[in-house]
Amino acid sequence: AASTLSVMYLRICAFLVDAYLDGLLKRQRKGTNNNNNRRVEVIDEVFEVAEMLHDLLFPLQNCGKEGMATQSAIFAMCENWWHGNFDDKELFVTQLIPLLLVKSLEDTAQKNDVKRLY
């Protein structure tokens, strides 16, 4: 029970980081003339949380249904980091890409799983 709550806490952390990134993107779009090539700075604390979550992607493979749901939330956070052109975005794909590749090769894979790799 305590481990399930811990995994749920990690998922909430991923949702919070993702919401923070969305807020930064909205603020940037509002304040600039759609300069999407400019890197967006993220505060150190958020970066550290995101990095820790990213590092947990592989271990979450063995945590059942809750682990997979948390892994999915971290996938979304990492993808948002990449597509949002945030600082150090390259660091958030090292574990993401292999896991997305594995997911796209599973029997239950959907078209969307394959598209996420591009």
Side-chain angles (χ1 to χ4, degrees):
S3 62
T4 300
L5 290 176
S6 298
V7 172
M8 289 171 65
Y9 178 78
L10 294 171
R11 185 170 5 142
I12 291 167
C13 289
F15 289 146
L16 290 172
V17 170
D18 209 26
Y20 171 79
L21 297 176
D22 282 340
L24 287 178
L25 287 174
K26 286 177 185 172
R27 200 170 313 133
Q28 182 194 29
R29 287 185 198 123
K30 195 176 193 180
T32 64
N33 296 329
N34 289 331
N35 186 3
N36 292 333
N37 294 330
R38 202 174 106 217
R39 289 274 172 113
V40 180
E41 259 187 67
V42 175
I43 61 172
D44 291 342
E45 292 82 3
V46 172
F47 176 81
E48 290 170 12
V49 170
E51 189 174 34
M52 283 186 272
L53 290 169
H54 173 263
D55 291 344
L56 291 172
L57 279 172
F58 276 112
L60 285 169
Q61 286 282 100
N62 303 319
C63 293
K65 197 165 100 174
E66 286 297 328
M68 297 308 280
T70 300
Q71 191 180 56
S72 181
I74 297 171
F75 281 173
M77 178 203 74
C78 292
E79 288 177 86
N80 197 10
W81 200 292
W82 177 265
H83 292 297
N85 203 29
F86 293 99
D87 283 339
D88 298 315
K89 69 180 189 175
E90 298 81 12
L91 299 175
F92 293 98
V93 294
T94 57
Q95 291 189 39
L96 177 66
I97 291 175
L99 285 169
L100 286 176
L101 183 59
V102 167
K103 188 172 178 151
S104 71
L105 295 173
E106 291 176 351
D107 292 338
T108 58
Q110 300 174 355
K111 285 182 184 180
N112 212 21
D113 294 326
V114 176
K115 287 181 182 179
R116 290 170 82 180
L117 286 167
Y118 298 100

